[in-house]
Amino acid sequence: MNKEKYKQVMNQIKMPEDCEEKILKKIYENPSEITSHNIKWKRVISVGIAATLCTGIIGMATVSAIQGTNWISELFPNTNEGSSMMDYAEKYSENVYDFSADVDGFDVELLGAFADESNLYYALHFTPKEENHEKYNDSFQMNCIGERWIDDTSINEKGIRMTAGSSSKPEGNGSCIYTERINFDEYTWESGTVYKAEVSASQFVEEEWIDYGIIGTISITIDLQKEAPKRSCDVSGKWENEKNFWNIKQIQIDPLNLRILGEQLNTIEDVPNQINILLKDGGTIQCQKSSLCNEDKVIKDDKVIKKEDLVNFNALFTIESPVNPYEVKAIQLDDCIISINP
Amino acid sequence: MDISLFQQKFHKYKDMVYRIAYTYLKNTTDAEDISQETFLKFYKLENEFTDENIEKAWLIRVTINACHNIKKSVWNSRRVEISDTQTKIVFYEQEESELYQAVFSLPDKYRIVVLLYYYEEYSIQEISDLTGRKISTIQTQLDRARKKLKSKLTEKGRNSYEQRKIQTGYESN
């Protein structure tokens, strides 16, 4: 290999300016606030796992809903005791009334769960039935992000766009706490909805993942007795940066999600760096991008943005901790503030 | 660390840290997160480094460890990002573009070794210290990476030669 050519090629990889600005800004403002938790909570679309369901189903556990609230701090690393998330979880914790799991070789306990119409949050504890220190060490992990079903229909078949965050914390003996939050972009839970997901196991050995495939399923039945408050407002505002702009026409807020609708340039790649919810009492809550889609057909001519082409967009953001939508005064997209009329 | 000193160091090392993270993870979002995490740790260091080589090696080690942790998370093993995660780099020479594609088609453990050896010009012993892998492992990974690159680049070269031949053929008709 030509070393100089290689260096020339790799020289093209440089820290983007906005990343540089973000890091310096955070350092200048308040370095103690910077955490790496966001790494754990990537927004994703569900991924199908190409593996077949194991036939030997041994474990079976049924636990009804909440058994204490310690799991919330596992599920939301930034949430302190007494915060609004705890209140919210308590309020909606009765919305999950049944849980079952069939997982080969593992006992599964539901540590806690809560759901409103568009969100489901749950934490599971997996414990191996047999000791096997060689296999079950802290590199052994479980997850539930394979095939998923709603009322026995695959979410892929239902054409539902789902975003989720999850994390798995191995405990060294093969047991682990698995936490996940899911919110639907184009679907609303109904009372009695059954959410089912495949459970799979894998292990990180010598920098490679060993996939043990699907080892079972979990099933969560949702009962919605309380309706989460929602607010939808027509607004007028414009956010822009060097490459893109948003003409914002409507804002929809529920306690955990912010949806922004409007028109943007014919690109989906440039979004505001920071989105905040500004509350009437002066408080600020951060949002993170969950999904963004252009509703019109996207016409992309390589990297050329056609300025004459405006498309309707629909962007969903996850609010860091629950808000009362009626206590929201405005939303802030970078330096642009869009007021919401009372 | 003094903020003006940090600024100076940040500008010196920012591309190196980002390049290592991106090379390892092939993902802009993660590379940005890793860069932030690494520089925050660096900023929070109580004692300054007296030796620049040790300072650079510290930054590389922290970056690689952070990448390794991400790679190790079960979440990473199965996720698909919504957003575009590939850096958009435009190469004006086909040779550069082919080399970039060939390098990024290597397994991640090879990519990082190649970067440290050819770009940062560390010795095999030093790479072993930086990555915590055995010297023999680094040697093997480097050999395999070279072979894979050679085969990929030869194949690409042959394909583009064939392509040129076809195009020339059409032109002459």
Side-chain angles (χ1 to χ4, degrees):
Chain A
M1 184 173 65
N2 181 331
K3 193 164 103 178
E4 288 314 309
K5 198 55 106 182
Y6 173 75
K7 280 192 171 186
Q8 226 169 304
V9 167
M10 296 310 280
N11 264 335
Q12 305 280 328
I13 302 171
K14 288 182 174 155
M15 182 180 281
E17 271 177 35
D18 56 344
C19 169
E20 186 181 330
E21 282 166 18
K22 221 185 285 177
I23 294 174
L24 287 174
K25 196 178 164 195
K26 285 191 175 176
I27 295 273
Y28 295 149
E29 279 173 358
N30 193 353
S32 62
E33 277 182 9
I34 307 171
T35 64
S36 59
H37 77 278
N38 55 337
I39 291 168
K40 292 175 193 165
W41 290 105
K42 297 294 173 193
R43 274 47 173 155
V44 299
I45 35 184
S46 62
V47 187
I49 298 172
T52 48
L53 191 70
C54 282
T55 47
I57 292 172
I58 302 167
M60 175 75 187
T62 304
V63 182
S64 59
I66 289 281
Q67 294 186 341
T69 49
N70 288 340
W71 65 278
I72 295 173
S73 57
E74 291 288 341
L75 189 53
F76 305 99
N78 269 354
T79 306
N80 299 318
E81 296 259 339
S83 74
S84 52
M85 185 57 84
M86 299 284 275
D87 298 340
Y88 191 77
E90 202 174 325
K91 192 171 170 188
Y92 288 93
S93 62
E94 288 169 15
N95 284 344
V96 170
Y97 68 77
D98 193 25
F99 167 78
S100 66
D102 296 337
V103 179
D104 190 4
F106 283 82
D107 287 322
V108 190
E109 183 190 6
L110 180 70
L111 295 177
F114 63 94
D116 65 21
E117 288 164 317
S118 54
N119 303 282
L120 169 65
Y121 300 73
Y122 67 94
L124 303 174
H125 191 236
F126 291 94
T127 313
K129 290 184 172 176
E130 286 173 14
E131 279 190 14
N132 183 345
H133 294 292
E134 205 172 308
K135 181 176 180 182
Y136 298 135
N137 52 40
D138 62 4
S139 66
F140 188 90
Q141 298 191 16
M142 314 281 286
N143 73 66
C144 307
I145 51 175
E147 184 70 46
R148 300 151 189 242
W149 300 267
I150 292 169
D151 292 335
D152 288 330
T153 306
S154 162
I155 40 176
N156 297 331
E157 281 173 42
K158 284 200 167 192
I160 295 165
R161 287 200 324 128
M162 179 173 74
T163 60
S166 77
S167 68
S168 179
K169 188 184 165 197
E171 293 177 338
N173 58 352
S175 65
C176 67
I177 292 173
Y178 176 80
T179 60
E180 184 164 12
R181 61 177 173 183
I182 298 165
N183 60 300
F184 286 102
D185 203 359
E186 294 166 2
Y187 184 77
T188 305
W189 298 115
E190 288 169 12
S191 206
T193 297
V194 180
Y195 173 78
K196 225 159 98 176
E198 284 176 344
V199 178
S200 59
S202 49
Q203 196 157 25
F204 198 72
V205 180
E206 291 178 359
E207 299 181 31
E208 299 284 352
W209 278 99
I210 297 171
D211 197 343
Y212 295 113
I214 309 301
I215 57 169
T217 54
I218 56 143
S219 170
I220 295 170
T221 308
I222 293 146
D223 181 21
L224 299 174
Q225 290 165 357
K226 293 171 188 165
E227 197 179 327
K230 281 179 191 158
R231 190 176 174 196
S232 178
C233 318
D234 291 334
V235 294
S236 175
K238 187 175 182 179
W239 163 85
E240 61 186 324
N241 70 6
E242 288 163 359
K243 296 177 189 167
N244 195 11
F245 66 79
W246 284 1
N247 282 331
I248 297 163
K249 294 178 174 177
Q250 197 182 59
I251 289 169
Q252 296 169 2
I253 311 170
D254 69 39
L256 295 158
N257 302 301
L258 164 71
R259 189 186 293 275
I260 300 174
L261 295 99
E263 283 178 337
Q264 69 164 344
L265 270 183
N266 196 1
T267 171
I268 57 167
E269 285 151 18
D270 288 293
V271 299
N273 279 328
Q274 205 165 11
I275 296 192
N276 292 323
I277 299 271
L278 306 181
L279 300 172
K280 285 178 185 168
D281 67 3
T284 302
I285 300 174
Q286 278 193 2
C287 299
Q288 292 185 3
K289 189 174 90 175
S290 183
S291 72
L292 188 146
C293 65
N294 283 327
E295 292 187 336
D296 295 343
K297 193 182 172 191
V298 178
I299 313 153
K300 280 182 100 177
D301 183 10
D302 290 335
K303 293 172 187 69
V304 181
I305 297 167
K306 293 181 176 178
K307 294 210 172 190
E308 69 276 16
D309 295 326
L310 286 182
V311 290
N312 289 324
F313 77 92
N314 174 343
L316 183 71
F317 299 87
T318 308
I319 302 172
E320 288 267 299
S321 62
V323 295
N324 177 347
Y326 293 93
E327 290 301 314
V328 177
K329 184 176 71 178
I331 62 162
Q332 182 182 12
L333 300 89
D334 296 333
D335 296 329
C336 159
I337 292 177
I338 296 165
S339 300
I340 297 173
N341 291 330
Chain B
M1 184 183 285
D2 170 59
I3 200 105
S4 61
L5 181 67
F6 172 79
Q7 232 172 356
Q8 197 189 320
K9 304 276 185 193
F10 177 75
H11 286 290
K12 186 175 176 184
Y13 295 119
K14 67 183 170 64
D15 291 335
M16 178 193 78
V17 167
Y18 182 82
R19 189 177 296 115
I20 290 171
Y22 183 79
T23 303
Y24 201 125
L25 301 164
K26 276 208 300 195
N27 177 310
T28 54
T29 315
D30 286 342
E32 290 182 11
D33 284 345
I34 296 289
S35 304
Q36 179 175 303
E37 193 179 330
T38 303
F39 281 111
L40 176 71
K41 279 186 185 159
F42 185 63
Y43 179 73
K44 285 184 170 176
L45 280 176
E46 286 182 8
N47 299 318
E48 286 163 24
F49 290 100
T50 48
D51 185 323
E52 285 212 343
N53 290 331
I54 298 175
E55 181 177 71
K56 186 179 169 187
W58 183 90
L59 279 163
I60 292 176
R61 217 170 11 243
V62 169
T63 308
I64 291 175
N65 285 344
C67 292
H68 189 68
N69 287 341
I70 280 205
K71 205 83 194 164
K72 205 178 149 184
S73 77
V74 68
W75 186 229
N76 184 75
S77 68
R78 285 159 199 282
R79 75 184 191 198
V80 171
E81 295 281 341
I82 284 169
S83 57
D84 183 11
T85 58
Q86 296 286 317
T87 295
K88 288 188 179 65
I89 299 173
V90 179
F91 292 103
Y92 295 101
E93 285 180 33
Q94 193 179 353
E95 194 187 347
E96 288 185 356
S97 169
E98 284 173 0
L99 181 58
Y100 178 86
Q101 283 170 26
V103 166
F104 278 88
S105 67
L106 289 174
D108 47 16
K109 59 188 174 188
Y110 296 174
R111 283 199 307 273
I112 200 71
V113 170
V114 169
L115 182 78
L116 294 175
Y117 188 80
Y118 285 107
Y119 191 94
E120 298 296 341
E121 299 189 342
Y122 279 111
S123 68
I124 288 176
Q125 170 70 61
E126 286 168 328
I127 298 172
S128 162
D129 295 339
L130 286 168
T131 56
R133 299 176 201 166
K134 289 178 194 163
I135 292 180
S136 57
T137 309
I138 302 293
Q139 262 163 343
T140 311
Q141 288 176 343
L142 207 50
D143 281 347
R144 286 184 185 161
R146 282 193 196 112
K147 277 180 193 154
K148 276 180 186 274
L149 278 175
K150 195 177 172 188
S151 124
K152 277 177 200 294
L153 291 170
T154 314
E155 190 185 321
K156 278 188 197 277
R158 202 169 34 237
N159 287 345
S160 57
Y161 173 72
E162 292 296 329
Q163 189 67 33
R164 275 200 300 275
K165 248 173 57 178
I166 292 166
Q167 279 168 357
T168 316
Y170 279 127
E171 277 162 18
S172 63
N173 289 337

